[in-house]
Amino acid sequence: MTGMVALYIFMLAAFTGYEVISRVPVILHTPLMSGSNFVHGIVLVGAMVALGNAHTTLEKVIGVIGVLLAAGNAVGGYVVTERMLEMFKSSGARGGGKRGAH
Amino acid sequence: MLDEATRDWIIQASYFVTAALFILGLKRMSSPVTARSGITWAGAGMLVATAVTFAFPGMSNYELIIPAILVGSALAWWSGKRVAITDMPQMIALYNGMGGGAAAAIAAVELYHGEMESTAAAALAVVGGIIGAVSFAGSGIAFGKLQGLIKRSIRFPGLQIINLLILVAAVGHGALISMHVTAPTTMVTGMFVFALILGVTMTLPIGGADMPVVISLYNALTGLAVGFEGFVLNNAAMIIAGTVVGSAGTLLTQLMAKAMNRSLGNVLFSGFGDTGATATGTVTGSMKPIEASDVGVMMAFAQKVIVVPGYGMAVAQAQHKIWELCQLLIDRGVNVKFAIHPVAGRMPGHMNVLLAEAGVPYDLIADLDEINAEFETADVALIIGANDVVNPVARNDKSSPIYGMPILNADKAKNVIVIKRGQGAGFSGIENALFYLDNTRMLYGDAQKAGAELIQAIKAAG
């Protein structure tokens, strides 16, 4: 991947992120923030690679901390997002019939 | 065993799939109908990416990687399943901070390693590392504040200048590291120490009511940090996911700040409390208590009751009791509505989730713009654990730190009943003028207990 290609990816991804959530209703703000919090848990992949290439003890210690934190970000982010959305769905089913009158 | 080229192709293709799943997942999460499946899609993407990374060429230290993943995952799984819905915002802050810390750790390993390909790569590692470390420390403080571990907002004159100096110190170290390419260890350490301090000193002065905006901002910053470290590691999945979160998070932060009628700069730099200490002096009069039985009668014979729930109601787990109470009133023919302020929970949308959990139908829930004109015709405004969002000083006291924030006009109702545990000030520490009005009565007690008493009183009203 050349620097220029990476820059294109960066630009397109930035616009994508903006577009994807530009029309989100207020009720989904909290779950969506939590969901995007989960998505940057992809840092786990980088932390694994960093630790996988660590040599000195210092690098290994920091690498282990990185992987620990990253795994926490990914798994924790998933669990709380799922719990919130699960509840949201059930409330939608209960309140759904009356929503049209709103 | 696959040859090197095939293995690399499989890894890159898997990252491609992961990036696509993340974007589709986020898209689905932004619509109520598909939200639930969105997180499942994104979760599948994460699994794919993590699995193939084990096959990354030239990796070692598996004996460290695997236990670290297992321990980190288990702790997060356990805490995420256990946490009450009311405490979600600080958990998001915590998990977000961990992501930032991980991004900073990647930068630290690469920089201590000291074999950066170019000045550009070193600069990206530096920028991602600083942002990640600020997000890590800042999110930790945000967690501590919302969890009640840090009670006070620490401010003093000149703090912004000190913050600026710390930022300059961190960036200065970073610039030197980038130019050296192979930097001395102490310089790398110095940069991270300054960045961590900056995260703390930037977040400490910010009041609790502004925390959701700050958490959202740190969420976006972590995304950016992950994206930058993705450049350093030449990892497309990290670049795409990190950048998407960075821009989506920035937009979300703006939407939240707008819902609170505050600009981001205002939240970060002016902060609550520049004038806050003096604001208490303007309140006159006294708080007038009332008994639950009297409130029960008042509501039972009212035509219209507007309930204003706040975070205090959720903390007391009173939403079920309150909904039971409202159902009694509805059965008696009382017109009952719930008025939700955009920041009624700890984040926009948080209160809607909490009320939905209790089974309150959507058509009874109105937001600020819909309901504000109706307070004048309401016989009773029942304030449960809400404080700053109904404080009329936001409308008329220019010296107040919350001046200009849109509020629910509960003070316009004929009678205002405030259910409150004690006489203390709100989350932001600002005295509430509403409590001292002539048409306001205070019903002291835990929201759950008060709800039960009111139910008895209404039943007794016959």
Side-chain angles (χ1 to χ4, degrees), chain A residues 31-87:
Chain A
L32 191 68
M33 180 162 136
S34 181
S36 59
N37 177 33
F38 163 70
V39 165
H40 67 53
I42 190 69
V43 70
L44 174 59
V45 168
M48 285 168 71
V49 172
L51 176 55
N53 293 307
H55 298 303
T56 65
T57 311
L58 176 66
E59 288 169 25
K60 283 181 187 172
V61 169
I62 299 170
V64 167
I65 294 171
V67 174
L68 264 174
L69 292 174
N73 179 189
V75 174
Y78 183 85
V79 171
V80 295
T81 310
E82 215 226 356
R83 275 184 62 191
M84 259 190 274
L85 291 176
E86 192 173 43
M87 206 156 59

Side-chain angles (χ1 to χ4, degrees), chain B residues 27-319:
Chain B
K27 179 75 198 164
R28 295 183 81 82
M29 270 187 256
S30 59
S31 156
V33 191
T34 53
R36 178 72 205 285
S37 64
I39 185 67
T40 316
W41 286 45
M46 189 71 76
L47 277 182
V48 169
T50 311
V52 299
T53 303
F54 279 103
F56 219 80
M59 294 262 286
S60 56
N61 295 333
Y62 287 110
E63 75 285 359
L64 295 174
I65 294 175
I66 294 168
I69 291 179
L70 290 178
V71 171
S73 303
L75 285 177
W77 183 272
W78 177 75
S79 59
K81 285 282 181 198
R82 251 179 97 252
V83 62
I85 298 293
T86 41
D87 293 341
M88 282 294 173
Q90 54 261 50
M91 288 317 277
I92 298 175
L94 186 67
Y95 298 138
N96 174 55
M98 293 168 93
I106 295 172
V109 171
E110 296 297 320
L111 290 172
Y112 281 130
H113 207 54
E115 288 168 19
M116 304 306 281
E117 288 170 20
S118 62
T119 300
L124 285 166
V126 160
V127 173
I130 292 177
I131 296 176
V134 167
S135 173
F136 173 70
S139 299
I141 298 293
F143 170 80
K145 285 203 163 199
L146 290 180
Q147 191 72 22
L149 302 174
I150 303 168
K151 296 256 167 32
R152 288 180 47 80
S153 296
I154 298 155
R155 305 182 193 90
F156 48 87
L159 182 63
Q160 298 305 340
I161 293 165
I162 295 172
N163 282 350
L164 187 68
L165 290 176
I166 300 171
L167 176 68
V168 168
V171 172
H173 276 74
L176 288 173
I177 295 166
S178 307
M179 285 188 286
H180 278 224
V181 184
T182 50
T185 318
T186 47
M187 200 173 274
V188 178
T189 310
M191 179 188 86
F192 281 109
V193 169
F194 279 118
L196 289 171
I197 294 172
L198 181 63
V200 173
T201 54
M202 247 179 78
T203 320
L204 271 180
I206 298 170
D210 280 339
M211 268 313 152
V213 180
V214 175
I215 295 172
S216 181
L217 177 71
Y218 284 140
N219 185 41
L221 284 180
T222 303
L224 265 186
V226 171
F228 283 131
E229 297 312 321
F231 281 112
V232 176
L233 297 172
N234 221 350
N235 186 315
M238 281 173 72
I239 298 176
I240 294 172
T243 312
V244 165
V245 172
S247 75
T250 306
L251 177 61
L252 207 52
T253 309
Q254 284 169 347
L255 291 175
M256 284 192 185
K258 213 164 97 186
M260 301 167 71
N261 193 31
R262 289 168 69 73
S263 75
L264 195 53
N266 197 322
V267 169
L268 285 179
F269 301 120
S270 84
F272 271 21
D274 288 332
T275 54
T278 58
T280 52
T282 58
V283 180
T284 54
S286 63
M287 296 196 206
K288 295 161 280 292
I290 191 169
E291 292 300 318
S293 50
D294 296 333
V295 179
V297 172
M298 189 192 280
M299 290 202 297
F301 295 100
Q303 305 228 306
K304 187 174 193 175
V305 172
I306 298 178
V307 181
V308 181
Y311 187 67
M313 180 198 74
V315 169
Q317 289 295 316
Q319 56 267 43

